Amino acid sequence: MNVVVVESPAKAKTINKYLGSDYTVLASYGHVRDLPSKNGSVNPDEDFAMIWDMDTKSRQRVNDIAKALKGADKLILATDPDREGEAISWHVLDILREKGALKDKDVARVVFNAITKSAVTEAMENARDLDEDLVEAYLARRALDYLVGFTLSPVLWRKLPGSRSAGRVQSVALRLVCDRELEIEAFKSQEYWTIEADLRTAEDKAFRARLNAVDGKKLGKFDVPAEQDAKTIESAMKEGRYAVESVEAKPAKRNPAAPFTTSTLQQEASRKLGFSSARTMQIAQKLYEGINLDGETTGLITYMRTDGVQIANEAIAEARNVIQDDFGEPYVPGTPRVYKTKAKNAQEAHEAIRPTSLARRPKEVSRVLDDEQFKLYDLIWKRTLASQMESADFERTTVDVVTEGTDSKRFTLRATGQVVVFDGFLKLYQEGRDDDGDEEDGRRLPKMSKGETVGLVKLEPLQHFTEPPPRFTEATLIKRMEELGIGRPSTYTAILTTLRNREYVRMDKKRLIPEDKGRLVTAFLESFFERYVQYDFTANLEEQLDRISAGDLDWKKVLREFWHDFNGAVGETADLRITEVLDALNELLGPHVFPQNEDGSDPRACPNCDDGQLSLKVGKFGAFVGCSNYPECRFTRQFTQDNGEDAG
DNA sequence: CAGTGAGCGAGCTTCCGCTTGACTT
């Protein structure tokens, strides 16, 4: 008898089925130990000694493993093939040794690259020892996160009343939201015009073109800045004869998107189904754990917390069969598609999120799913199948039409069109778009040939204004965090919950809006702990962790160097008076707290007395704006001025 | 859900990442 330890109970069940009755497969349910949430769990003065603690549930689970080991010959640690998985194996092993549950037992570490019978069997034949270097990389990561969070948070409590917490991940996520808000506030909308023309071909077919060049020189976005300029061009163009100068058709190809990871599933479920990331994960968990299908609990999708985009060969083969059956030969590509992850810091311990069997078509399982489960399963099924389908072929056409104006200028108008020659994967699935994607020109242009005269139906100058960047949604923030390597699939939604619970951000119409509290915390960290909220801090840390994993760098050395600089920065804030903190925040948040008055008058002038200057203050209820002539002048106002923008 | 401003000291909060139930309504 052998005892196998994996992380998740659903996985334990599946693997037990593949391994048979000679094996007992038990789940650790994630990390079995952690640093207690109190001071002193990591001690930099004692060479970063760490104290570990087990909760009652974990203790029970480890007892179950120890009990199973009693009559067994071998312990097989089969936690996930990444840094955290290696750490879980190490924790389990360490505890079992302490309990004396391992005498005379063989111990082996095994990693599954996919949860299929062949992958599991093959992995069992390639056991290895625990990777101590990888465990040390984990220890460095864990200690650093604890030290940053449990040192920085108290600094905030003392220096910035009302603030709650800071950390390597949450503070950078918050910074993204706050920096975006500053961009929006600093944004000045700019006017520009385009000249559009409705035209007709010799065969009396309508199409629309836009002024693109004057005297052969391409128009820039702001080359027609005002109505007067547009009108001048319009009247010059109005009387001319219009002729086709060139017709150019080019083939284009579009490939399907990669199968879902946690991050892309959350984005797409938000765009297409309107689910919050928490909702998406709850539903996906249910599909993963299994649905009662004809009296048997069957997992419908693979593991949902993953950053991998590759899928098992068995699944690819099945996808190609389903494509062949449902869509026909032309939709099956010559060779299977292979996807590689682009995400920074990806660990790829799991496959992409896919149906456990592509032959289980959505409509066949719909009777056992509720509405939301069905929608999510349908989305995952389509995305996965489409990822193995043939590319779509287009023909993109560009037509230039020329006319000579009454001012002797030569005006070039351009029309573009796109025709689907072969729909490929688009027959099944097309990825949704975020806020500001370029508009896709799906129109078909009528037949035209070079030299042909076309008739002008209408000239239309159109006014436009540039738009500020949009606020983040949950999904777009998670996308950005993933690009920066901040947070992990298992923590994305937890981070958003933390930012809300701390009252650092609020949600309005699915957009993240920073609260004053959050902006103050960010401004404080940018002023005094700049290095630790830089967008690439985590990426640089990960590089060092990689070197620890490779055995090229000592983990304690990394911690010592980090602590030396970090503790120094903390020390520099020790004597900081609140007034000095406020001076720094006044500087950074000035444009937000004191926006330019429209009449050009001083935005910091006190409206209540002659020579008072307004500035930031903190009281026991948070930040507010007060007058420098206090207590003679008792003027105060709220930190944020309501622009009435929330009404729209 | 109104009122706030310094600084002291009591006593409270706090990190990230891995995994699910066992509580309530």
Side-chain angles (χ1 to χ4, degrees):
Chain A
M1 176 61 71
N2 300 311
V3 175
V4 180
V5 176
V6 298
E7 293 179 36
S8 132
K11 196 166 161 180
K13 220 179 89 187
T14 313
I15 288 169
N16 216 341
K17 217 160 41 188
Y18 295 148
L19 290 177
S21 54
D22 285 346
Y23 294 82
T24 306
V25 187
L26 296 171
S28 76
Y29 291 77
H31 275 296
V32 288
R33 289 196 301 199
D34 199 9
L35 302 170
S37 289
K38 57 185 186 200
N39 289 324
S41 296
V42 177
N43 191 344
D45 298 330
E46 282 178 36
D47 207 20
F48 302 96
M50 295 161 86
I51 297 168
W52 301 106
D53 192 22
M54 271 198 280
D55 61 23
T56 44
K57 269 187 214 137
S58 297
R59 194 161 280 137
Q60 187 55 50
R61 274 156 196 156
V62 176
N63 283 343
D64 290 346
I65 295 171
K67 209 178 292 171
L69 268 172
K70 278 213 173 96
D73 317 306
K74 196 169 178 183
L75 170 67
I76 297 163
L77 299 163
T79 51
D80 294 348
D82 59 11
R83 192 165 66 215
E84 299 296 322
E86 203 72 13
I88 291 171
S89 282
W90 173 77
H91 279 302
V92 169
L93 193 60
D94 200 48
I95 299 162
L96 290 173
R97 276 210 185 104
E98 271 177 26
K99 293 170 88 78
L102 282 176
K103 45 184 185 307
D104 313 330
K105 315 274 188 214
D106 283 342
V107 176
R109 169 79 167 118
V110 150
V111 291
F112 307 135
N113 292 312
I115 310 303
T116 60
K117 180 150 191 175
S118 59
V120 167
T121 315
E122 194 198 321
M124 296 299 279
E125 285 159 12
N126 289 292
R128 58 167 170 82
D129 290 332
L130 206 63
D131 185 339
E132 302 286 347
D133 292 329
L134 197 50
V135 173
E136 288 178 355
Y138 155 79
L139 292 171
R141 196 279 302 161
R142 186 67 193 87
L144 185 141
D145 280 338
Y146 172 89
L147 289 171
V148 170
F150 276 66
T151 310
L152 218 42
S153 297
V155 170
L156 279 174
W157 303 336
R158 287 195 298 270
K159 304 296 174 189
L160 202 60
S163 54
R164 303 277 306 281
S165 64
R168 171 178 62 87
V169 170
Q170 63 168 272
S171 296
V172 179
L174 178 60
R175 185 184 185 182
L176 283 167
V177 176
C178 293
D179 281 2
R180 174 61 56 88
E181 200 69 15
L182 284 177
E183 261 183 77
I184 293 169
E185 281 161 5
F187 184 80
K188 291 207 168 43
S189 182
Q190 207 176 334
E191 182 182 358
Y192 64 96
W193 288 71
T194 56
I195 318 287
E196 318 258 332
D198 283 330
L199 300 159
R200 277 185 184 278
T201 65
E203 289 173 351
D204 205 29
K205 295 278 194 311
F207 68 103
R208 197 171 173 86
R210 171 183 291 188
L211 181 62
N212 185 54
V214 178
D215 285 340
K217 191 169 167 282
K218 197 175 177 330
L219 276 182
K221 187 169 185 177
F222 300 110
D223 283 353
V224 188
E227 184 168 16
Q228 191 50 53
D229 308 296
K231 295 281 184 206
T232 307
I233 294 172
E234 184 193 12
S235 58
M237 288 174 75
K238 216 158 40 188
E239 309 298 337
R241 171 182 170 271
Y242 286 66
V244 174
E245 187 188 51
S246 67
V247 178
E248 203 180 313
K250 268 194 211 153
K253 219 180 210 359
R254 180 124 57 93
N255 294 322
F260 281 133
T261 61
T262 302
S263 156
T264 53
L265 175 68
Q266 290 179 349
Q267 290 163 43
E268 193 71 338
S270 165
R271 289 188 286 240
K272 288 195 164 161
L273 308 177
F275 293 171
S276 69
S277 50
R279 191 91 200 98
T280 298
M281 294 311 282
Q282 276 166 15
I283 301 164
Q285 175 89 29
K286 197 79 194 145
L287 294 173
Y288 165 71
E289 285 172 2
I291 302 284
N292 192 329
L293 210 66
D294 305 322
E296 201 184 342
T297 305
T298 310
L300 293 186
I301 61 169
T302 55
Y303 195 58
M304 63 278 143
R305 289 185 280 268
T306 176
D307 53 21
V309 287
Q310 78 288 358
I311 64 178
N313 287 332
E314 286 90 337
I316 293 179
E318 204 185 8
R320 291 171 68 84
N321 285 336
V322 172
I323 296 164
Q324 169 81 48
D325 289 351
D326 292 10
F327 299 94
E329 187 74 43
Y331 290 86
V332 185
T335 52
R337 295 181 182 279
V338 178
Y339 293 93
K340 288 208 181 79
T341 181
K342 278 177 277 179
K344 225 182 240 180
N345 182 23
Q347 308 256 331
E348 297 179 85
H350 305 278
E351 283 188 67
I353 304 168
R354 61 165 174 89
T356 46
S357 167
L358 283 152
R360 265 197 287 274
R361 291 164 179 82
K363 62 172 186 289
E364 290 161 26
V365 287
S366 64
R367 64 195 161 82
V368 295
L369 300 179
D370 68 28
D371 183 52
E372 289 188 326
Q373 290 168 346
F374 172 76
K375 283 180 177 155
L376 198 66
Y377 182 77
D378 187 59
L379 191 66
I380 293 168
W381 187 84
K382 284 179 176 161
R383 170 87 163 211
T384 308
L385 203 64
S387 76
Q388 285 299 328
M389 287 173 76
E390 187 56 276
S391 310
D393 289 321
F394 299 91
E395 191 179 75
R396 290 213 174 105
T397 315
T398 306
V399 174
D400 279 350
V401 173
V402 170
T403 187
E404 194 182 301
T406 50
D407 54 1
S408 312
K409 280 186 178 145
R410 185 182 149 82
F411 295 102
T412 308
L413 299 105
R414 176 164 289 182
T416 55
Q418 179 169 279
V419 177
V420 178
V421 180
F422 173 66
D423 55 1
F425 73 95
L426 289 175
K427 195 177 187 79
L428 180 65
Y429 175 87
Q430 180 163 14
E431 187 172 48
R433 312 177 80 98
D434 288 322
D435 302 304
D436 44 5
D438 308 323
E439 55 194 274
E440 192 89 338
D441 211 338
R443 291 173 303 175
R444 176 192 285 267
L445 289 178
K447 270 210 162 48
M448 281 175 269
S449 49
K450 187 175 172 177
E452 178 178 332
T453 301
V454 292
L456 176 66
V457 179
K458 190 170 91 181
L459 266 181
E460 193 175 15
L462 287 177
Q463 185 185 34
H464 309 271
F465 292 95
T466 54
E467 301 243 8
R471 291 195 175 104
F472 286 107
T473 63
E474 284 189 346
T476 55
L477 183 64
I478 287 169
K479 182 179 182 183
R480 188 78 189 100
M481 286 168 60
E482 186 184 41
E483 285 165 5
L484 294 168
I486 295 163
R488 304 276 314 132
S490 64
T491 61
Y492 292 137
T493 49
I495 294 157
L496 289 163
T497 304
T498 299
L499 294 183
R500 274 192 294 260
N501 286 346
R502 303 278 175 269
E503 296 177 313
Y504 288 166
V505 302
R506 69 170 194 278
M507 300 297 295
D508 184 49
K509 298 182 199 77
K510 302 202 167 173
R511 299 280 161 175
L512 284 152
I513 302 178
E515 297 277 12
D516 292 340
K517 200 179 277 185
R519 305 192 66 168
L520 284 170
V521 166
T522 297
F524 178 86
L525 294 173
E526 283 178 353
S527 301
F528 302 104
F529 293 92
E530 211 268 332
R531 178 168 168 190
Y532 305 95
V533 289
Q534 273 174 9
Y535 290 126
D536 60 359
F537 179 77
T538 289
N540 292 333
L541 172 66
E542 285 292 341
E543 256 171 49
Q544 295 199 296
L545 296 179
D546 282 348
R547 289 175 56 202
I548 295 174
S549 319
D552 295 337
L553 190 57
D554 176 27
W555 69 286
K556 296 245 171 117
K557 184 167 185 274
V558 170
L559 283 177
R560 274 194 295 270
E561 282 171 9
F562 151 75
W563 183 249
H564 177 266
D565 295 346
F566 180 71
N567 200 36
V570 172
E572 280 172 33
T573 64
D575 297 329
L576 214 55
R577 289 162 175 279
I578 289 186
T579 45
E580 293 172 284
V581 172
L582 289 175
D583 284 347
L585 302 193
N586 243 324
E587 191 71 32
L588 263 172
L589 289 174
H592 170 61
V593 187
F594 307 106
Q596 282 299 318
N597 288 333
E598 298 206 348
D599 57 10
S601 61
D602 181 7
R604 284 180 188 256
C606 177
N608 200 39
C609 64
D610 289 339
D611 59 345
Q613 281 283 302
L614 299 179
S615 68
L616 263 184
K617 308 281 177 194
V618 272
K620 38 184 188 244
F621 308 112
F624 67 98
V625 171
C627 176
S628 54
N629 282 342
Y630 177 82
E632 284 77 36
C633 173
R634 306 191 67 94
F635 175 81
T636 62
R637 71 161 161 83
Q638 299 282 56
F639 182 3
T640 313
Q641 286 179 308
D642 208 344
N643 307 328
E645 61 176 309
D646 289 347

